[in-house]
Amino acid sequence: TALESFYQLAGLETQKYYLAKGIEETEHTLDRIDQFREKGISLPDTIDRSTVVTQLSDLTDQQLKLEYLRIQLNGQLQKLIGCPLNEHNFYWPNVDWTPDLEPLQVEVELVDGLSTRSDLRGLELLICNLEKPTLPVARGVLKFADSTLGTVEPIDGIIHTLRCYKCNRSEVPVRCRQLAIFYEDTEKLATAEIKSAVYNVTLQQRRVSLAQETVAELRENLRKLTGTRDVNDTTVFEISRLKGQLYEAESKLVEQTVALKIAEVGLRKAQNTLPLECGFVPKLCCEGSCCGACMRCEPNTCRKCRKK
């Protein structure tokens, strides 16, 4: 959450710059209109003072909203990372705005993500080490998944009490199969989360590309218009209007880039790699001691199920 707020704040600070440029350009346009009127010079048919005033009012309103959002995001960041709250002390995020537009491979991201998901690793460890002494742990995990699974169910009258030694032995393969089902459900859910995050990143990459194309086209149009203004008798109002469009497009590009970075955070969250970036590499007790043959509790492979 702090990382998402960080990128939102970085985008806001950058958008403030382009918004200020847009306000400045609109104010210049309004001043030129007033000067033309004072000198008795007729304005182009496409220029209307009331429209420019409305546009300036809208831009100023956006600026006020950004200022309020800036205070909110700074306070949220300060709270999330444990710093004293101070509405006068603002962060200035340092972000590389070059977007990563390299296409993602869904299957590669899925394999990487499933291997780092701690929920799957925990279930694998539990299944691999499922013995009579670890049955209480299995019951607790299954009860978390489904409250009806945490209690022992009679199987042909075999299991009648948790303290019965014979029942304990009969319960092990039952829990093994239940955990295998829970593992499969958890894996399907994790797969859906990771794939959804990958598709979201891909979508944002395309939106950034479109925003880049728009900015590039407007810059080229402004360059051509400025270069031929004397030849084509281009008015200063046309150039000012195009500058305003360019500032708006650049602000939109920043917005889409922020959305891309947040989507990338969502992917890393779904893959459970955010802790690794912070240097936190959790290792479960006994992890790595299992041969892996009974990972899915399939018949003829699980040493528990073979007994049954």
Side-chain angles (χ1 to χ4, degrees), residues 266-284:
L267 174 58
R268 282 139 56 194
K269 179 182 178 181
Q271 294 175 320
N272 196 46
T273 58
L274 286 175
L276 304 179
E277 297 179 9
C278 300
F280 179 67
V281 186
K283 182 175 177 60
L284 302 174

Side-chain angles (χ1 to χ4, degrees), residues 78-94:
Q78 290 168 356
K79 182 178 179 180
L80 288 170
I81 63 180
C83 290
L85 295 179
N86 186 344
E87 66 273 20
H88 303 294
N89 187 19
F90 295 112
Y91 294 117
W92 186 262
N94 186 10

Side-chain angles (χ1 to χ4, degrees), residues 87-306:
E87 66 273 20
H88 303 294
N89 187 19
F90 295 112
Y91 294 117
W92 186 262
N94 186 10
V95 176
D96 181 8
W97 289 112
T98 304
D100 183 6
L101 300 180
E102 183 178 354
L104 298 180
Q105 298 182 14
V106 179
E107 295 304 323
V108 173
E109 298 296 332
L110 179 60
V111 171
D112 292 343
L114 292 178
S115 65
T116 54
R117 291 275 300 213
S118 57
D119 49 355
L120 294 177
R121 290 168 56 198
L123 286 174
E124 290 171 356
L125 180 65
L126 180 58
I127 295 173
C128 283
N129 294 275
L130 185 58
E131 300 284 357
K132 186 172 65 174
T134 59
L135 279 174
V137 181
R139 295 187 198 114
V141 171
L142 290 169
K143 188 175 182 180
F144 173 79
D146 189 338
S147 59
T148 61
L149 294 178
T151 57
V152 176
E153 300 177 0
I155 302 177
D156 298 329
I158 298 176
I159 301 178
H160 65 279
T161 174
L162 294 177
R163 297 183 178 181
C164 176
Y165 177 77
K166 293 182 178 179
C167 291
N168 283 154
R169 295 181 60 187
S170 301
E171 185 184 357
V172 169
V174 176
R175 296 306 184 193
C176 189
R177 286 192 292 271
Q178 289 177 334
L179 287 171
I181 295 173
F182 184 33
Y183 181 93
E184 291 179 0
D185 291 342
T186 305
E187 187 179 47
K188 289 178 181 178
L189 179 60
T191 299
E193 290 178 356
I194 294 172
K195 284 189 174 183
S196 177
V198 172
Y199 294 145
N200 188 29
V201 171
T202 302
L203 171 64
Q204 289 303 139
Q205 286 177 333
R206 293 175 180 174
R207 298 182 71 182
V208 169
S209 296
L210 291 175
Q212 286 178 329
E213 293 174 3
T214 302
V215 169
E217 183 176 353
L218 287 173
R219 284 176 179 171
E220 180 63 18
N221 292 341
L222 180 60
R223 186 189 65 80
K224 291 180 179 179
L225 195 64
T226 305
T228 60
R229 59 179 303 180
D230 295 332
V231 178
N232 298 331
D233 196 22
T234 303
T235 66
V236 68
F237 296 105
E238 293 181 65
I239 295 178
S240 179
R241 177 183 58 81
L242 194 56
K243 283 184 178 179
Q245 292 179 350
L246 177 58
Y247 295 143
E248 184 178 355
E250 289 175 326
S251 177
K252 189 69 176 179
L253 175 57
V254 172
E255 180 182 340
Q256 297 298 346
T257 304
V258 168
L260 172 59
K261 290 186 175 295
I262 291 178
E264 291 171 346
V265 172
L267 174 58
R268 282 139 56 194
K269 179 182 178 181
Q271 294 175 320
N272 196 46
T273 58
L274 286 175
L276 304 179
E277 297 179 9
C278 300
F280 179 67
V281 186
K283 182 175 177 60
L284 302 174
C285 62
C286 304
E287 190 172 20
S289 61
C290 175
C291 64
C294 57
M295 201 64 72
R296 296 296 185 85
C297 268
E298 296 177 353
N300 301 324
T301 60
C302 176
R303 52 194 173 90
K304 316 286 191 315
C305 297
R306 278 205 304 269

